[in-house]
Amino acid sequence: MAIGKVDIHFWKGKRVFITGHTGFKGSWLSLWLQQMGAEVKGFSLTPPTNPSLFVEAKVAQHMQSEIGDICDFSKLSESIRTFNPDILLHLAAQPLVRLSYKEPIETYSTNVMGTVNVLEASRYASHLRAIVVITTDKCYENREWEWGYRENEPMGGHDPYSNSKGCAELVVSAYQRSFFHSSDTAAVASARAGNVIGGGDWAEDRLIPDILRAFEKQQPVIIRNPLSTRPWQHVLEPLSGYLVLAQRLWQDGKAFAEGWNFGPKDDDCQPVQWILDKMVHFWGDGAHYEIDKSEQPHEANFLKLDCSKAAMRLKWHPKWRLEQTLEQIVHWHRSWLQGTDMQARCLQEIEKYNN
């Protein structure tokens, strides 16, 4: 098996179950696995946006796609049992900070009890050997310090979204030690990524989609926190980390059943205003932005990840620099506006990244 790289030969013929396959990251991941010849089944709510990458790239065309809620334990467990996967990737979540202030109960139900349901159902899948639970960089107790968070830092989170993901990490830890600790059970790991960006994201209250919506309408982008700094990364970066981690779980079992950070290079942790200046440059056509000075709900100002563990033990490293990523996003979005075949466009981008 290729160390530190996504191994196409490994995934061919593997039965892979994905929760959240209709979302932004789930759609990219589903296409990547299909391209490598995996047998893929997804379980998720309907696409969270309109338009959506899931629809625009015809993601369901070469996979099994079941619409369901991970909070429905009976339906979820039946779906996993009948498919009997080799590998499970749990991405389904309520992923938005600002929405979590409006819908805290739903956020905790999905992100905490949904994770419990996925892991509980997985206990009875007889062929399952590797489980990767996706959380977030925001699961850490944010001290607003200037260095990256390591995997052994305390869980926390100020807002319901971040806090619920910290809770999900504790759920994973408990299930690892209680139910998935012996040699005849699946190896379970968690993965924490930074701020994931890329073509095909139409979510509300996310920086890149908000920028592109404004540019399309030839309106100024309204920005809340221009100095907020995040670990921005192209969507394929963390997805490659999840796939590499699953490979090692399959091959080496419990030795890699831990929490893992997948983030960008340190100098790609840039403030929002830097992102805006680059996007304005790449889009052209008089694009511009304005600062919203009204009071906003709390969001962390500074956050980045220490990914040295993934570099040392998984031999995983980010490939694309942030400026290249932003240019790719503008090209992707313009292709979509021009009516391009977006499934083919996504598969070309995946092949370019993987090579």
Side-chain angles (χ1 to χ4, degrees):
M1 188 185 302
I3 301 299
K5 296 181 180 179
V6 177
D7 189 332
I8 295 172
H9 304 293
F10 170 85
W11 291 98
K12 187 173 176 129
K14 290 287 191 302
R15 295 175 66 79
V16 185
F17 191 96
I18 302 174
T19 70
H21 71 292
T22 63
F24 168 57
K25 287 169 72 176
S27 292
W28 276 103
L29 180 60
S30 297
L31 289 172
W32 197 342
L33 287 164
Q34 291 170 37
Q35 187 184 56
M36 294 189 289
E39 295 181 46
V40 186
K41 180 176 184 179
F43 185 93
S44 181
L45 298 175
T46 55
T49 61
N50 182 22
S52 71
L53 180 61
F54 184 75
V55 172
E56 298 301 318
K58 301 181 178 65
V59 175
Q61 199 168 50
H62 303 294
M63 67 180 291
Q64 295 182 47
S65 175
E66 183 174 352
I67 300 302
D69 189 340
I70 58 170
C71 293
D72 183 343
F73 178 74
S74 177
K75 186 172 183 179
L76 172 67
S77 56
E78 177 67 11
S79 185
I80 293 173
R81 186 189 65 78
T82 54
F83 185 64
N84 205 5
D86 302 311
I87 295 169
L88 186 147
L89 297 153
H90 172 41
L91 281 74
Q94 192 299 90
L96 300 173
V97 171
R98 287 166 70 87
L99 183 60
S100 76
Y101 282 108
K102 298 175 185 174
E103 299 181 357
I105 294 174
E106 294 85 347
T107 298
Y108 280 101
S109 296
T110 299
N111 295 351
V112 183
M113 288 310 300
T115 300
V116 171
N117 287 344
V118 169
L119 291 174
E120 183 64 21
S122 297
R123 293 175 60 195
Y124 308 101
S126 58
H127 287 179
L128 192 55
R129 278 179 58 174
I131 302 170
V132 180
V133 177
I134 313 309
T135 62
T136 176
D137 59 335
K138 298 174 185 64
C139 67
Y140 295 109
E141 183 63 37
N142 193 336
R143 315 277 187 190
E144 300 277 1
W145 56 35
E146 62 272 18
W147 52 85
Y149 291 88
R150 295 168 297 179
E151 287 85 349
N152 60 356
E153 307 279 3
M155 296 294 105
H158 181 286
D159 57 87
Y161 165 71
S162 304
N163 188 270
S164 70
K165 286 297 195 172
C167 293
E169 286 282 355
L170 297 177
V171 168
V172 172
S173 176
Y175 265 79
Q176 282 170 333
R177 291 182 286 182
S178 301
F179 306 115
F180 292 102
H181 53 81
S182 60
S183 59
D184 61 344
T185 58
V188 183
S190 64
R192 306 150 190 177
N195 279 47
V196 175
I197 57 178
D201 186 4
W202 282 280
E204 295 293 329
D205 283 327
R206 265 200 199 135
L207 179 63
I208 299 300
D210 286 348
I211 291 172
L212 293 172
R213 274 189 286 267
F215 286 179
E216 269 184 64
K217 298 173 185 174
Q218 297 183 316
Q219 296 175 349
V221 185
I222 308 301
I223 295 303
R224 299 188 298 268
N225 300 303
L227 301 181
S228 291
T229 300
R230 297 285 185 273
W232 312 99
Q233 56 189 153
H234 191 279
V235 61
L236 297 179
E237 299 279 22
L239 294 185
S240 73
Y242 308 160
L243 294 171
V244 168
L245 176 56
Q247 291 167 190
R248 296 310 298 267
L249 290 171
W250 178 278
Q251 183 179 34
D252 300 303
K254 304 303 186 289
F256 291 85
E258 306 167 7
W260 298 86
N261 288 340
F262 297 104
K265 296 179 186 295
D266 279 355
D267 56 355
D268 277 338
C269 293
Q270 294 287 353
V272 166
Q273 196 153 3
W274 188 95
I275 301 282
L276 275 159
D277 290 336
K278 295 295 181 184
M279 290 290 282
V280 163
H281 169 71
F282 291 132
W283 188 272
D285 293 340
H288 61 292
Y289 60 90
E290 297 174 0
I291 309 300
D292 181 356
K293 296 180 179 177
S294 63
E295 187 174 348
Q296 301 292 333
H298 175 275
E299 292 188 53
N301 287 314
F302 188 82
L303 182 64
K304 71 175 181 178
L305 296 172
D306 181 332
C307 302
S308 53
K309 178 179 162 183
M312 290 286 290
R313 293 181 54 199
L314 294 174
K315 308 303 179 189
W316 176 89
H317 301 274
K319 294 182 180 182
W320 282 354
R321 302 309 305 267
L322 181 55
E323 189 162 350
Q324 178 186 2
T325 290
L326 297 174
E327 189 170 15
Q328 287 276 124
I329 291 169
V330 169
H331 290 327
W332 193 100
H333 198 77
R334 286 195 180 279
S335 295
W336 172 72
L337 290 171
Q338 292 161 6
T340 301
D341 179 340
M342 296 316 293
Q343 183 183 95
R345 179 70 175 74
C346 288
L347 293 175
Q348 287 168 7
E349 199 156 313
I350 290 167
E351 189 170 359
K352 178 181 177 183
Y353 176 86
N354 215 29
N355 289 334

